[in-house]
């Protein structure tokens, strides 16, 4: 279940590269080349700033063929189409063959494997890509950042620079993606809107990302909104989520657009495919069918009636029962319980949290505010951890009221 766990030992660590937003090196096996439409004219500015390829490979086990020097051919990132499963060749031909007033609506495209991972209650978007093809859609400053693409090919992860203070990186430069330690090779100065982190195809396969379940599209001179409507009519508006990335760049989400989260790692089993739409005011409307199949209201020890994800309930009941038999029930205050399932974005953002999936709960709220050590009894914390929960008090920016599902534990 979930990901294959491996120890950090034996992973080589590379040093910083002067003048670049790099953290370390790595590389991985060879992804299949993505198909695309005839390419636009090269950018002279991009070509003139292209660096020579770097040769270091930090993770040979996950290395793919390096992309080589950038040739200057670039495209815009207009639409991101995501499916639950691999986009079929038939659907791909339909999608890329749409026309607007008799002219092609898709000027260029690349396939990628796309999904989400959670970290400290937040959900982040990750894509497994062909570095040589995907870089063409990332903008001049990032497309020409040669070290980034060499290191993604080398098996490392490139993470958006805006997340540098948000994601916990260990002392050796590794980011744990649902239990898999991946060395951070670059803090990317830009990239495709809606993508927070990038790895290569070998890592995508190991993380459990659906192969080639997404298509990144440049519409050329055609309106992205018109092309999106054409694609929706051609393949079905609820078969794929299609985001207009210019809107995502402005607000972080495409309001009203059908979205789907495709988890990797341990929480994939508890979430499945999470479909939703943004309805304003920081709220989302999950697919009623998902709610019916995943969210339940049950009686649990100490707290009484709670509404959570049914896959978490056995572990929650086991943890609370042990707390009760350990005569520590008075350490949890039912009147200060702040809930488990609430479908909305994290306050002030367009990021989902584990509360959206019903996989987190907040306890003893008044004495355990964010950024504080909190008053949570550490034996209570240890029991929750035993039953597969992570505790927000361990985070860099603490949230000691918060417990969330980190791994599946069978109470037996």
């Amino acid at each position: 279940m979930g990901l294959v766990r491996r120890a950090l030992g034996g992973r080589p660590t590379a040093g910083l590269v002067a003048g670049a937003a790099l953290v370390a090196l790595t590389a991985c096996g060879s992804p299949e080349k993505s198909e695309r439409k005839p390419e636009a004219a090269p950018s002279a500015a991009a070509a003139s700033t292209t660096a020579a390829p770097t040769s270091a490979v930090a993770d040979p086990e996950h290395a793919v063929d390096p992309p080589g020097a950038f040739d200057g051919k670039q495209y815009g990132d207009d639409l991101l189409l995501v499916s639950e499963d691999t986009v079929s060749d038939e659907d791909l031909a339909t999608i890329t063959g749409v026309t607007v007033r008799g002219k092609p609506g898709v000027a260029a495209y690349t396939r990628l494997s796309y999904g989400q991972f959670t970290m400290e209650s937040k959900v982040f978007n990750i894509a497994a890509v062909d570095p040589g093809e995907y870089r063409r859609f990332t903008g001049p400053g990032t497309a020409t950042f040669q070290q980034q693409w060499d290191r993604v090919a080398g098996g490392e992860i490139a993470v958006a620079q805006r997340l540098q203070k948000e994601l916990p990186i260990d002392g050796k430069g590794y980011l744990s993606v649902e239990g898999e330690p991946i060395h951070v090779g670059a803090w990317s100065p830009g990239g495709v809107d809606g993508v927070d982190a990038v790895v290569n195809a070998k890592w995508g396969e190991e993380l459990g990302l659906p192969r080639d379940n997404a298509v990144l599209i440049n519409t050329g001179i055609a309106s992205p909104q018109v092309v999106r409507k054409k694609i929706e009519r051609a393949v079905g508006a609820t078969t794929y989520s299609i985001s207009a990335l210019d809107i995502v760049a402005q607000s972080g989400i495409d309001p009203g657009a059908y979205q789907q989260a495709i988890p990797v790692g341990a929480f994939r089993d508890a979430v499945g495919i999470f479909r939703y739409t943004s309805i304003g005011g920081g709220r989302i409307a999950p697919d009623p069918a998902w709610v019916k199949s995943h969210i339940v209201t049950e009686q649990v020890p100490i707290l009484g009636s709670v509404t959570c994800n049914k896959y978490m309930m056995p572990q929650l009941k086991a943890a609370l029962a042990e707390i009760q038999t350990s005569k520590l029930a008075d350490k949890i205050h039912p009147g200060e319980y702040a809930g488990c399932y609430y479908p909305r974005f994290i306050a002030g953002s367009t990021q989902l949290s584990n509360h959206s999936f019903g996989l987190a709960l907040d306890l003893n709220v008044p004495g355990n505010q964010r950024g504080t050590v909190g008053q949570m009894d550490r034996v209570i914390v240890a029991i929750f951890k035993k039953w597969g929960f992570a505790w927000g008090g361990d985070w860099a920016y603490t949230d000691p009221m918060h417990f969330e599902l980190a791994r599946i534990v069978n109470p037996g």
Side-chain angles (χ1 to χ4, degrees):
M1 193 223 86
L3 300 176
V4 178
R5 279 11 180 202
R6 272 201 313 278
L8 284 173
R11 292 277 179 97
T13 302
L16 295 173
V17 175
L22 291 179
V23 178
L25 307 154
T26 303
C28 261
S30 180
E32 192 175 296
K33 287 288 181 182
S34 300
E35 301 175 40
R36 67 183 192 277
K37 294 290 183 178
E39 300 161 342
S43 162
S48 67
T49 58
T50 300
T54 56
S55 58
V57 173
D59 186 359
E61 180 185 350
H62 291 97
V64 301
D65 292 339
F70 186 50
D71 61 11
K73 297 173 184 176
Q74 297 183 59
Y75 317 105
D77 57 333
D78 294 319
L79 299 174
L80 179 62
L81 179 147
V82 179
S83 172
E84 176 180 345
D85 299 309
T86 300
V87 178
S88 68
D89 290 341
E90 181 181 3
D91 276 2
L92 183 65
T94 299
I95 290 162
T96 58
V98 299
T99 60
V100 177
R101 295 179 181 175
K103 296 183 179 180
V106 176
Y109 71 94
T110 186
R111 303 192 208 199
L112 50 147
S113 302
Y114 186 81
Q116 285 74 32
F117 67 95
T118 62
M119 187 162 293
E120 298 191 350
S121 193
K122 297 178 180 179
V123 178
F124 298 93
N125 301 317
I126 185 168
V129 306
D130 175 338
E133 294 299 302
Y134 179 81
R135 69 190 298 181
R136 302 182 190 281
F137 297 80
T138 62
T142 305
T144 59
F145 188 6
Q146 183 67 40
Q147 294 95 331
Q148 171 174 323
W149 305 111
D150 287 339
R151 294 181 182 210
V152 168
E156 296 180 87
I157 188 169
V159 184
Q161 195 169 30
R162 57 185 164 76
L163 299 176
Q164 193 163 5
K165 294 181 179 179
E166 193 169 341
L167 293 176
I169 310 301
D170 73 13
K172 295 183 179 180
Y174 285 88
L175 175 68
S176 179
V177 179
E178 296 299 332
E180 282 290 348
I182 310 178
H183 200 273
V184 178
W187 293 104
S188 181
V192 172
D193 298 306
V195 177
D196 300 313
V198 172
V199 293
N200 66 29
K202 279 194 175 178
W203 265 121
E205 182 177 355
E206 184 154 344
L207 291 172
L209 289 168
R211 182 175 176 81
D212 291 341
N213 68 316
V215 184
L216 180 60
I217 294 170
N218 169 244
T219 63
I221 61 173
S223 162
Q225 296 291 357
V226 172
V227 174
R228 175 164 72 172
K229 290 179 181 177
K230 292 264 189 177
I231 293 174
E232 288 175 344
R233 284 197 292 269
V235 297
T238 59
T239 303
Y240 298 97
S241 64
I242 308 175
S243 297
L245 297 182
D246 58 339
I247 296 176
V248 172
Q250 296 168 23
S251 63
I253 193 72
D254 190 347
Y258 168 79
Q259 304 288 337
Q260 49 190 353
I262 302 169
V264 300
F267 87 127
R268 171 177 52 199
D269 297 326
V271 176
I273 306 301
F274 181 77
R275 300 178 175 86
Y276 68 98
T277 53
S278 172
I279 56 176
R283 297 171 299 152
I284 64 171
D287 178 3
W290 184 92
V291 175
K292 184 177 180 180
S293 63
H294 285 75
I295 302 300
V296 295
T297 299
E298 296 181 3
Q299 292 289 320
V300 301
I302 305 173
L303 295 176
S305 178
V306 300
T307 300
C308 299
N309 190 303
K310 71 177 184 181
Y311 294 95
M312 188 180 75
M313 279 295 192
Q315 291 169 233
L316 177 59
K317 290 177 179 178
L320 292 171
E322 181 170 339
I323 291 168
Q324 196 169 51
T325 58
S326 300
K327 302 187 184 305
L328 295 170
D330 62 331
K331 301 295 185 182
I332 294 178
H333 311 143
E336 297 174 358
Y337 166 64
C340 178
Y341 170 64
Y342 40 93
R344 59 185 301 115
F345 295 119
I346 294 171
S349 78
T350 53
Q351 282 183 295
L352 297 174
S353 82
N354 272 352
H355 283 289
S356 298
F357 310 129
L359 295 177
L361 66 158
D362 294 331
L363 302 174
N364 297 6
V365 171
N368 292 282
Q369 296 298 302
R370 294 217 67 177
T372 70
V373 174
Q375 302 170 2
M376 193 66 66
D377 185 278
R378 296 313 189 256
V379 179
I380 299 291
V381 171
I383 292 172
F384 267 104
K385 287 183 176 180
K386 170 186 172 182
W387 288 105
F389 291 84
W391 180 48
D394 291 330
W395 301 345
Y397 184 50
T398 59
D399 191 5
M401 72 177 72
H402 184 93
F403 293 87
E404 64 178 36
L405 188 72
R407 68 185 193 280
I408 301 296
V409 176
N410 186 354

